[in-house]
């Protein structure tokens, strides 16, 4: 007898829990290799049956609070839609605008413009919501990740990092699902290119580091290309490289975009800040020819970007509007992976 959708969903969630009992998704490495694959299986079940799951409402009566200190189109919408489809209630909170301006430092005399300390805010929100989800990159280059780490410390509820200075784990999970789709189920041993591309703003490394984590967890032959002065965070690269022994992933760092992209299953473009941020504008202008165009995509299968993307700066119109662009299904994969995390914690 074919198992029902409910049975398949419960069994898939049970597989996640066998590998991952944690209640913090901070950088995306927490579920480990098997736990991540199990999460992707839950996401695939959700993706293939989302209307039926919407009717099942498996998380009826639950609540998720999403606190956004920064703007969002995809993350906010996909979280709210996934929560609603699962039957739970989503509360959108705009950090510092619709809520009280929050204090994160210890021992502060709060007679300035901060009105509420995270030490109260995080447990109060945890008393209402079954999951907290926080986007906080206002201190974008703050390696200490003050905001999300404070929530991790003081929240009693499970916590999803919706993007901080060094990590965007839900984007990483969606990218894994997208790359696995491109590879016909997985991308183990397949060449994935992550290339720096020009951007006028000195953006944090959250997305490129999450792409690296996703590619290593999935066992890719990962090629990371960037000009001199744009190296990814050495400590984070070292940490994720520890997983390569388990997955068979290979990592090549290069200054040559052409060799990185040649024959790649996916070319993932992203802009990030120069290591010396004072020099970002000058260096980004100097490397204007790193914009991903038809030449870089000639022998590659697909183009990926997390969005939003600056047309004809990061990537040309012809690539983005062309048949190799997979950015829309990539963005669509945000909903099922986030649903998978919430179901794995709350079902
Ligand atoms: N990729 C992504 O996180 O998009 P938003 O910033 O619009 O949420």
């Amino acid at each position: 007898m074919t198992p029902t959708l409910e049975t398949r969903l419960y069994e898939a969630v049970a597989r996640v829990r066998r590998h991952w009992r944690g209640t913090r998704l901070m950088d995306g490495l927490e579920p480990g290799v098997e736990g991540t694959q199990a999460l992707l299986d839950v996401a695939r079940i959700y993706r293939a049956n989302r209307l039926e799951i919407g009717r099942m409402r498996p998380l009826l009566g639950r609540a998720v609070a999403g606190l956004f200190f920064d703007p969002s189109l995809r993350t906010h919408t996909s979280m709210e839609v996934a929560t609603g489809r699962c039957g739970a209630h989503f509360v959108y909170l705009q950090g510092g605008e619709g809520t009280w301006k929050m204090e994160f430092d210890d021992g502060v005399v709060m007679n300035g413009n901060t009105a509420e300390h995270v030490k109260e805010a995080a447990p109060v929100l945890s008393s209402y919501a079954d999951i907290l989800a926080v986007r906080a990159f206002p201190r974008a280059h703050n390696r200490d990740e003050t905001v999300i780490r404070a929530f991790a410390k003081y929240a009693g509820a499970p916590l999803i990092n919706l993007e901080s200075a060094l990590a965007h784990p839900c984007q990483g999970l969606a990218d894994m699902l997208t790359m696995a789709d491109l590879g016909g189920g997985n991308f183990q041993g397949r060449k994935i290119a992550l290339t720096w591309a020009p951007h006028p703003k000195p953006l944090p490394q959250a997305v490129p580091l999450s792409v690296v984590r996703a590619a290593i967890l999935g066992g890719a032959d990962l090629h990371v290309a960037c000009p001199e002065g744009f190296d990814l965070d050495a400590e984070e690269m070292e940490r994720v490289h520890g997983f390569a022994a388990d997955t068979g992933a290979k990592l090549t760092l290069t200054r040559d975009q052409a060799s990185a992209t040649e024959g790649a299953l996916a070319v993932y473009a992203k802009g990030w800040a120069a290591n010396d941020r004072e020099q970002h504008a000058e260096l980004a202008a100097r490397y204007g020819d790193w914009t991903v165009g038809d030449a870089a995509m000639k022998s590659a299968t697909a183009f990926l970007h997390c969005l939003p993307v600056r047309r004809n700066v990061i990537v040309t119109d012809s690539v983005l509007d062309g048949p190799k662009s997979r950015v829309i299904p990539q963005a669509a994969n945000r909903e099922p992976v986030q649903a998978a995390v919430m179901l794995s914690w709350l079902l």
Side-chain angles (χ1 to χ4, degrees):
M1 202 172 71
T2 313
T4 63
L5 173 59
E6 195 173 8
T7 301
R8 286 194 293 133
L9 197 56
Y10 272 90
E11 285 177 356
V13 162
R15 275 197 299 281
V16 176
R17 290 199 190 130
R18 273 203 291 281
H19 298 290
W20 184 36
R21 303 295 300 183
T23 55
R24 298 280 184 264
L25 187 68
M26 296 289 282
D27 67 8
L29 293 175
E30 295 86 355
V33 177
E34 283 92 355
T36 302
Q37 292 299 339
L39 268 175
L40 295 184
D41 286 341
V42 177
R44 288 184 183 99
I45 293 172
Y46 175 95
R47 187 173 62 178
N49 302 280
R50 58 186 192 163
L51 291 183
E52 202 176 332
I53 286 173
R55 285 191 285 272
M56 279 167 54
R57 300 169 74 77
L59 300 185
L60 190 65
R62 301 292 203 154
V64 177
L67 179 56
F68 286 75
F69 290 91
D70 296 282
S72 166
L73 187 145
R74 279 143 291 272
T75 305
H76 174 192
T77 312
S78 55
M79 277 299 293
E80 189 155 346
V81 168
T83 307
R85 234 189 272 279
C86 288
H89 183 69
F90 186 85
V91 181
Y92 172 77
L93 295 160
Q94 201 177 349
E97 300 290 334
T99 55
W100 302 111
K101 191 163 170 51
M102 215 170 284
E103 181 60 59
F104 294 93
D105 292 334
D106 276 336
V108 177
V109 178
M110 287 172 56
N111 60 0
N113 63 355
T114 54
E116 173 145 37
H117 204 285
V118 67
K119 285 184 179 179
E120 286 79 51
V124 166
L125 289 174
S126 301
S127 75
Y128 307 134
D130 299 282
I131 291 176
L132 298 190
V134 178
R135 164 169 281 204
F137 47 89
R139 308 173 196 194
H141 300 289
N142 171 358
R143 272 205 103 265
D144 296 337
E145 302 199 291
T146 315
V147 175
I148 192 72
R149 288 191 189 284
F151 274 94
K153 186 171 176 184
Y154 297 114
L159 177 69
I160 302 176
N161 175 6
L162 294 178
E163 193 174 357
S164 59
L166 295 172
H168 195 351
C170 296
Q171 184 68 54
L173 278 171
D175 295 342
M176 269 189 98
L177 185 56
T178 308
M179 292 189 286
D181 291 342
L182 288 169
N186 71 74
F187 55 90
Q188 193 155 28
R190 305 293 296 272
K191 184 176 182 183
I192 303 292
L194 168 63
T195 178
W196 179 89
H199 193 288
K201 289 190 173 173
L203 301 177
Q205 293 187 359
V207 169
L209 287 172
S210 290
V211 175
V212 172
R213 295 180 190 113
I216 299 283
L217 283 176
D221 172 17
L222 175 64
H223 293 241
V224 180
C226 64
E228 204 170 332
F230 288 89
D231 292 331
L232 291 174
D233 188 278
E235 207 176 300
E236 291 299 315
M237 293 296 277
E238 184 66 32
R239 229 159 52 79
V240 66
H241 202 247
F243 286 82
D246 294 334
T247 65
K250 287 192 286 183
L251 176 62
T252 303
L253 305 177
T254 175
R255 305 285 183 220
D256 181 2
Q257 189 187 60
S259 72
T261 56
E262 190 181 3
L265 177 67
V267 173
Y268 199 124
K270 186 72 183 85
W272 62 86
N275 301 134
D276 177 357
R277 275 186 290 283
E278 297 294 309
Q279 291 200 323
H280 180 82
E282 184 195 327
L283 287 176
R286 185 186 303 170
Y287 296 115
D289 59 350
W290 280 65
T291 299
V292 173
D294 292 324
M297 292 304 301
K298 197 168 173 210
S299 60
T301 303
F303 175 81
L304 300 178
H305 188 281
C306 61
L307 305 180
V309 67
R310 295 198 180 217
R311 284 175 172 261
N312 303 308
V313 178
I314 293 278
V315 56
T316 61
D317 279 340
S318 64
V319 171
L320 199 56
D321 296 331
K324 293 185 177 181
S325 177
R326 302 298 294 158
V327 298
I328 304 303
Q330 178 187 6
N333 278 336
R334 292 291 303 278
E335 184 195 337
V337 297
Q338 289 152 199
V341 174
M342 294 189 281
L343 287 164
S344 297
W345 281 344
L346 299 183
L347 198 63

